[in-house]
Amino acid sequence: MSTVVRFALRVVVLAVIIYVVTRLVSGITVVGNTEGTFGVAGTYLWVALLFAVVNTIVGPVVRLLSLPFVVLTLGLFLLVVNAALLGITAAISDRLEVDGFWTAVAGGFLIALFSWIAELLLPLEVKS
């Protein structure tokens, strides 16, 4: 499977995960664009693509800068990092709304958990 196909599949799986998270966490909403080309599903795909880009570009920098806190808290600070990445995605997009810090922590945790489960079940790892 080519790298582009794997990346596209990852974005689709992430869109489904974000949809599930918006149903489980009351403070996270995606404002669907019913008049768009792909409708509400396209909005989830757009938010998933933005989150993937933020996680790919900003994520490593934030994780590296927060490494002392991650070590000090035995990895629990990664919940704050995931919440920050979700908040950055919400700040970039006018379609994703996150109500507060604890909502972002819960959403970031669930996205990480469901993404990990998806990685175990599906061969979606993008190799360069």
Side-chain angles (χ1 to χ4, degrees):
M1 198 178 317
S2 74
T3 304
V4 174
V5 172
R6 286 181 192 253
F7 180 75
L9 255 121
R10 286 178 66 94
V11 170
V12 169
V13 169
L14 186 57
V16 171
I17 290 170
I18 290 173
Y19 173 79
V20 170
V21 168
T22 59
R23 297 296 175 238
L24 294 175
V25 180
S26 62
I28 299 176
T29 55
V30 171
V31 180
N33 184 5
T34 56
E35 298 175 7
T37 305
F38 297 108
V40 177
T43 306
Y44 280 97
L45 288 170
W46 172 248
V47 170
L49 179 64
L50 279 178
F51 186 74
V53 168
V54 166
N55 205 9
T56 301
I57 295 173
V58 180
V61 174
V62 173
R63 285 182 191 93
L64 181 65
L65 292 175
S66 66
L67 190 60
F69 296 109
V70 172
V71 171
L72 188 64
T73 62
L74 302 175
L76 287 177
F77 195 76
L78 286 174
L79 291 173
V80 175
V81 171
N82 288 341
L85 295 175
L86 188 61
I88 290 170
T89 305
I92 292 172
S93 174
D94 60 341
R95 296 290 175 184
L96 177 65
E97 297 174 359
V98 180
D99 283 347
F101 174 74
W102 292 111
T103 303
V105 169
F109 171 74
L110 289 176
I111 289 172
L113 176 67
F114 294 149
S115 295
W116 176 70
I117 292 170
E119 288 288 330
L120 291 176
L121 299 176
L122 302 170
L124 297 178
E125 184 177 328
V126 176
K127 298 175 184 171
S128 43

